[in-house]
């Protein structure tokens, strides 16, 4: 999860967000919209780190591990289906979910 957050924040930002913001077309012509997109992109990475902390925190309730794991796994599988397997993140997202689910087993 931590690696995914780092790659998302750095590589995703450089390869997706920067070119998108440079286009400056439509809504992206507005400086506030560009700032919100930039913020939301990195906020997603922060939330990945928060879920990683919750999963690795000693004594995290098994139910919370199951919810986090299911969310990561569902995100990975949806990503695979939606992009027809072409997005590089779906296996990592799915694996993170599976590992969190395994950690939540009794």
């Amino acid at each position: 999860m931590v690696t995914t957050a780092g790659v998302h924040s750095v590589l995703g930002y450089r390869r997706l967000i920067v070119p998108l913001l440079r286009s400056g077309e439509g809504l992206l012509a507005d400086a506030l919209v560009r700032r919100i997109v930039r913020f939301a992109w990195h906020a997603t990475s922060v939330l990945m780190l928060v879920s990683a902390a919750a999963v690795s925190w000693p004594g995290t309730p098994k139910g919370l591990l199951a919810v986090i794991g299911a969310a990561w796994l569902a995100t990975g599988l949806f990503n695979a289906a939606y992009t027809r397997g072409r997005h590089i993140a779906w296996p990592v997202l799915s694996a993170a979910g599976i590992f969190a689910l395994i950690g939540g087993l009794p």
Side-chain angles (χ1 to χ4, degrees):
M1 290 177 183
V2 171
T3 301
T4 303
V7 170
H8 179 268
S9 193
V10 175
L11 186 61
Y13 181 75
R14 271 194 279 195
R15 295 199 51 184
L16 179 68
I17 300 302
V18 168
L20 182 67
L21 295 177
R22 279 189 189 141
S23 76
E25 297 177 12
L27 287 175
L28 294 174
D30 185 330
L32 177 60
V33 171
R34 288 193 307 275
R35 280 198 297 258
I36 291 169
V37 168
R38 194 175 286 118
F39 171 80
W41 186 263
H42 294 297
T44 303
S45 298
V46 170
L47 293 174
M48 289 178 188
L49 293 172
V50 169
S51 66
V55 167
S56 63
W57 200 272
T60 299
K62 301 288 185 186
L64 181 56
L65 293 175
V67 169
I68 293 170
W72 277 76
L73 179 58
T75 301
L77 295 176
F78 180 82
N79 184 306
Y82 192 70
T83 66
R84 297 185 181 121
R86 292 188 307 237
H87 188 256
I88 63 170
W90 79 264
V92 180
L93 295 167
S94 300
I98 290 168
F99 288 133
L101 287 170
I102 289 170
L105 292 174

